[in-house]
Amino acid sequence: MERQKLINTCIDRLVFLKSKVEVSSKLNLTDMNIHSENFYRDFLNLLYEYDLKNINKIQHNATSIDLVDQNNKIAIQVTSTPNLAKTKKTVDSFISKKLYEKYERLVILNIVKKTQHSKGQIGEEGLYQLDTNRDIWDVFDSVIPANFFL
């Protein structure tokens, strides 16, 4: 019974955050997006045993990435803009700043529901390509591993 209560609480909080960010973004209020970066940093660190740091604490409003784990060589962009243009802009910036030399994987974490992209890969062949099926997450499919609630 306690486990079910914890699961329900987790789901409630994630859905609340998603809804709050959706409404706030439509009103051009983005402070919740900034707080979401730290929430997801802590949540993913617990979930996947990452050591994510918020790079915006070091470099204010860093381009293309928000969270980084040096050991696991992963960079995460936390966003409430799930469209293809934002994805391309993020990947292009990741490539132009040669962040692929430091991080093997870029993940785009949509706080809101992600959109399906028609392209399977975005980026430059031979340098870096983001797999739109594997590396674009939202709370409903990829943030929480399938076996998390088992």
Side-chain angles (χ1 to χ4, degrees):
M1 188 63 150
E2 183 64 28
R3 182 173 172 75
Q4 184 63 46
K5 186 177 177 183
L6 290 172
I7 291 168
N8 286 336
T9 300
C10 184
I11 291 169
D12 289 347
R13 302 277 162 76
L14 289 168
V15 170
F16 172 80
L17 179 60
K18 175 198 163 292
S19 298
K20 180 130 180 153
V21 167
E22 282 177 333
V23 172
S24 297
S25 293
K26 287 182 182 183
L27 297 172
N28 204 28
L29 303 171
T30 59
D31 58 325
M32 197 65 193
N33 296 31
I34 294 164
H35 297 299
S36 295
E37 292 171 5
N38 289 331
F39 168 81
Y40 277 107
R41 176 201 61 205
D42 298 342
F43 185 63
L44 295 172
N45 282 343
L46 287 169
L47 209 59
Y48 293 112
E49 297 181 352
Y50 286 154
D51 186 26
L52 292 165
K53 307 283 188 237
N54 190 332
I55 199 161
N56 292 312
K57 301 273 185 193
I58 301 162
Q59 179 185 349
H60 182 65
N61 205 16
T63 306
S64 78
I65 57 175
D66 298 307
L67 309 175
V68 296
D69 180 335
Q70 302 286 346
N71 297 327
N72 289 299
K73 298 186 181 209
I74 187 168
I76 299 175
Q77 168 72 49
V78 180
T79 183
S80 62
T81 309
N83 62 38
L84 182 60
K86 170 69 175 190
T87 301
K88 283 183 178 180
K89 181 179 175 187
T90 299
V91 174
D92 288 347
S93 179
F94 188 78
I95 292 169
S96 71
K97 295 193 178 296
K98 297 185 179 187
L99 294 171
Y100 57 85
E101 293 176 352
K102 251 180 139 167
Y103 308 104
E104 295 172 356
R105 185 173 184 199
L106 169 65
V107 171
I108 298 176
L109 171 61
N110 289 289
I111 304 168
V112 299
K113 185 164 176 35
K114 72 178 184 178
T115 56
Q116 293 296 328
H117 297 318
S118 56
K119 292 186 168 197
Q121 303 280 326
I122 296 175
E124 292 183 33
E125 194 172 338
L127 287 179
Y128 183 83
Q129 289 190 304
L130 178 121
D131 182 327
T132 61
N133 293 313
R134 181 184 77 121
D135 295 327
I136 298 178
W137 297 353
D138 70 14
V139 72
F140 296 109
D141 64 352
S142 298
V143 172
I144 302 173
N147 64 352
F148 181 70
F149 294 120
L150 298 179

